[in-house]
Amino acid sequence: MADVHSLADRVFREESGRIIAALIRVSGSFDRAEEAMQEAFAAALFAWPQRGVPANPAAWVTAVAHRKLIDAARRDGTRREKRDSLASHIAFSVSEIADCEDNEPMNFPDDRLRLIFTCCHPALNPEAQIALTLRTLGGLTTSEIARAFLLPEATLAQRLVRAKRKIQEARIPYEVPGADRLEERLAAVQGVIYLIFNEGYVASSGGDLIREDLCAEAIRLGRVLCELLSRHAENFGLLALMLLQHSRRAARVAGGALVTLEEQDRSLWDRDVIEEGLALLERALASGDPGPYQLQAAIAALHAQAHAPEETDWRQIAALYQTLLERNPSPVVALNHAAAVAMSAGPEEGLARMAGLARSLDGYYLFHAARADLLRRLGRGKEALEAYQRAAALTTNPVECEFLNRRQGPSRSNDRSSGSR
Amino acid sequence: MMLIYTKEQEGGPGAEEGERIKTAHRALVEEAVRKGVLQAAEPLANTSTATTVRMEDGKALITDGPFSETKEQLAGYYILDCENLDDALCWAARIPTGCKGGEGCVEIRPLPGYALDG
C-alpha cells in the first residue's frame, strides 16, 4: 500500500504536467482539468492496490481523468451543445489512450508546449506566470510553492485563482504562438524559468541562501523546454547556464554564510552536473548565433573549467561580457563586465568603468559590494568601508547581509580577495 | 458619448442591488431606443481582465491590468470582434495612440456581452 502511494506521488511529480496539459486542451478549462486529475489520482490510490499497478500509470490516470471530464460534462446539463462536442472529443481521446496503454512512454499528443506558453503569457503578471507555471507544469503542490516563496498558502491560492480567471475571461489562447511571435514569446518563457531558478539561487528572503527545490524545479522545466523545442539553441543555453550555476551549490554556502567564487572549495563542485552543462553548451554554441543565455553559460563554463581561481580566463570572460553588453545593454551586465575587466586589466580599470554606472545602480547592493571590493584591493580602506556599509544596508537576504558585514572587517586590513560569486 | 466610472468591489454589487442597476439601465436603453438616440451601449468586464499595450521603440510592451498613468486621457475607442487575446493584441499594437499629441497606450477589455434588453 505504501509503495502504491509513493508510486502515485512519483507519477504526479513527473507526469502531472503532461496529463494536465492534455486535460486542459480537452476541457478548455484549467479548473475542470485540475479537478478531473485530482479525482483520477484519488481513484488510482483506490484501484491500484486491488487490481495491480497498470503498465503505464500516467496513461491510466489520463484515461480515468478523461472519463471524469465526461461525467462532469453530463452532470452539467445546461451546457448541452458544449457537452456533446466535448463527449465526442473525449471518446476519441480515450480510444487514443486505450491503444497506447501498454506502451512506454505515453504516445498521445503532448500539449505541454501550449500550456507553457499560456502560463507565461505576457498578459499575466510575472508573479502569476511563475505561480501558474510551477503549479501546472512543475511537480509542486500549492503548499510547496507557497513555502518556497515564503507566502501564506491562501495568498498563493488566490494568485492562482486570479490568473486562471484572467485566462478564461480575457481569452488568453491555449496554443503555441505562430512563427511571427514564437521567438519573442519563447524569450518570455525562458525568462520565467530563469526567474524561478534565480529565486532559488539567491532567495530574496528567508534564512536560507539557496532554495534547492526551486532550482531543481527550474532545471526540470528547462529540460522540458529543450525536449519540446529542441531546435532552439537558447533553450540549451538556458539549461546549461542553470546547471553550471547549480553545480556550485555545495560550495556556495558554508555554515550558513556566503562563500565567494574565489574562496569556494572547488572539490565540492558537482563534476557530473558541470560535464552535462558543458556538453549542452557545446551543442547550443554549434548553432552559431549565441543568445544571452548561451553567453552567460559560456562565462559560467570558464569558471567551471578553472581548477583554481588564478587559472580563470578573465580576459575571455571580459570579452564575453562585452558581447553580452552589445546584445543586451543593461547596467547589471555592464557592472559584471567592469568586474571582469578589473580582474584582467586591474582594479583601476574596473573602478573607472563602474564610475559611469553609479547613477543607474545606486540602489543595487551588488554594485556597492563590487566597488568596495576594488577599493579595498587598491588600499582605499575608508571608501571601501563606506561602500560595504551601503551594500549591507541594501540587501534583503540575511545570509548575504551577514557576508557583507563580515567583509567590512578585512577591508581595514587590506585583504586582496574578490567578491564575485 | 457617456463614459461610466465606478468603484470596483470584490464580487460586484449584491444580487438585489445588481438587479436594480440592470433594470435602470434597461429602462434607459428602452427610452433611448424609443426616442431614436441610442447608438451603442455595452458593459465592460472588470479591470482584472484588462491587458495594456504600450509601444516602445516599435515593440509592443504588454502588461497585465488596466492603464494607470493619470496624465493620459481617454481619446477614443475601437470595438473589434477578436478570436482571442492574441488576436486582440495584434490589433491593439497597430492603433496609433498619439491622437492628442503625446504617445499613449491601449487598454484591452473584454465585453461580456450581457444583453441589456433581456
Side-chain angles (χ1 to χ4, degrees), chain A residues 71-378:
Chain A
D71 292 346
R74 278 194 188 126
R75 281 198 303 270
D76 194 357
T78 56
R79 296 182 168 181
R80 187 172 184 76
E81 226 170 286
K82 190 158 174 72
R83 183 193 68 192
D84 291 344
S85 74
L86 182 69
S88 62
H89 195 139
I90 291 171
F92 170 71
S93 305
V94 170
S95 69
E96 233 177 313
I97 288 160
D99 290 341
C100 74
E101 227 169 295
D102 289 327
N103 297 335
E104 297 265 7
M106 295 194 284
N107 59 1
F108 59 86
D110 192 339
D111 292 300
R112 283 177 301 175
L113 202 51
R114 297 168 195 257
L115 182 54
I116 210 166
F117 278 109
T118 301
C119 290
C120 300
H121 197 283
L124 297 171
N125 66 57
E127 291 82 17
Q129 293 176 23
I130 288 172
L132 206 56
T133 302
L134 282 171
R135 180 68 185 87
T136 57
L137 282 143
L140 298 183
T141 62
T142 306
S143 64
E144 283 170 328
I145 301 166
R147 225 176 307 133
F149 284 95
L150 306 162
L151 289 169
E153 198 174 332
T155 306
L156 188 89
Q158 185 62 24
R159 203 173 273 181
L160 287 165
V161 166
R162 288 218 176 99
K164 286 185 280 190
R165 199 183 294 155
K166 167 113 194 216
I167 289 172
Q168 199 89 32
E169 291 177 2
R171 283 197 283 150
I172 293 178
Y174 191 60
E175 63 189 27
V176 177
D180 55 330
R181 263 170 298 161
L182 188 68
E183 283 300 326
E184 191 185 338
R185 295 280 307 278
L186 180 57
V189 170
Q190 290 161 345
V192 167
I193 294 175
Y194 196 47
L195 266 176
I196 293 169
F197 180 82
N198 268 322
E199 182 58 32
Y201 195 63
V202 183
S204 58
S205 48
D208 299 328
L209 188 70
I210 306 175
R211 306 193 70 88
E212 284 218 25
D213 41 358
L214 286 180
C215 291
E217 209 48 41
I219 287 170
R220 216 176 63 84
L221 290 167
R223 287 188 200 284
V224 170
L225 204 57
C226 287
E227 184 193 327
L228 297 175
L229 285 174
S230 58
R231 284 166 59 193
H232 293 255
E234 266 296 80
N235 291 336
F236 293 89
L238 171 62
L239 181 57
L241 173 62
M242 293 191 292
L243 288 170
L244 290 168
Q245 290 185 322
H246 199 51
S247 72
R248 305 200 287 259
R249 66 194 179 280
R252 270 184 84 226
V253 184
L258 181 73
V259 184
T260 65
L261 191 52
E262 191 176 22
E263 292 165 334
Q264 282 172 21
D265 176 355
R266 296 183 181 220
S267 69
L268 294 176
W269 290 1
D270 189 330
R271 286 287 144 195
D272 290 343
V273 174
I274 289 176
E275 287 311 316
E276 192 193 355
L278 293 176
L280 285 163
L281 176 62
E282 202 172 320
R283 176 175 171 177
L285 290 173
S287 73
D289 179 29
Y293 293 111
Q294 287 168 71
L295 290 168
Q296 291 176 78
I299 292 165
L302 287 170
H303 285 302
Q305 284 164 320
H307 292 282
E310 53 279 11
E311 285 176 26
T312 311
D313 188 348
W314 285 107
R315 198 171 301 274
Q316 180 75 22
I317 290 175
L320 285 165
Y321 272 123
Q322 178 69 46
T323 311
L324 192 59
L325 196 56
E326 283 158 15
R327 290 198 51 149
N328 295 64
S330 98
V332 173
V333 175
L335 173 65
N336 284 316
H337 177 240
V341 167
M343 293 304 286
S344 60
E348 293 93 344
E349 194 72 23
L351 212 51
R353 281 166 199 270
M354 283 182 198
L357 301 168
R359 194 199 296 252
S360 43
L361 290 178
D362 190 49
Y364 184 53
Y365 80 97
L366 284 176
F367 168 72
H368 296 284
R371 261 193 87 238
D373 206 57
L374 298 185
L375 289 165
R376 189 190 46 172
R377 287 168 56 196
L378 289 166

Side-chain angles (χ1 to χ4, degrees), chain B residues 14-94:
Chain B
E16 209 173 297
E17 175 72 355
E19 200 47 51
R20 196 182 62 76
I21 293 167
K22 223 169 150 183
T23 308
H25 275 300
R26 206 175 291 144
L28 202 60
V29 165
E30 274 164 16
E31 187 181 336
V33 169
R34 206 166 52 239
K35 294 188 171 161
V37 296
L38 186 80
Q39 301 299 315
E42 196 101 40
L44 303 183
N46 275 6
T47 51
S48 61
T49 65
T51 305
T52 301
V53 184
R54 193 177 285 278
M55 296 306 288
E56 265 175 30
D57 306 323
K59 278 189 69 179
L61 195 74
I62 299 160
T63 46
D64 180 29
F67 96 109
S68 54
E69 290 267 347
T70 47
K71 46 182 194 292
E72 287 164 355
Q73 305 299 337
L74 189 64
Y77 74 95
Y78 281 74
I79 296 178
L80 303 175
D81 187 6
C82 298
E83 200 183 322
N84 55 41
L85 186 60
D86 278 353
D87 189 16
L89 285 166
C90 283
W91 284 104
R94 294 173 55 197

Side-chain angles (χ1 to χ4, degrees), chain A residues 27-65:
Chain A
S27 68
S29 154
F30 277 64
D31 286 332
R32 282 199 291 273
E34 253 172 51
E35 202 176 314
M37 184 172 75
Q38 272 165 15
E39 286 178 23
F41 270 104
L45 292 180
F46 182 74
W48 294 356
Q50 292 179 13
R51 280 182 263 157
V53 175
N56 185 338
W60 188 96
V61 170
T62 312
V64 170

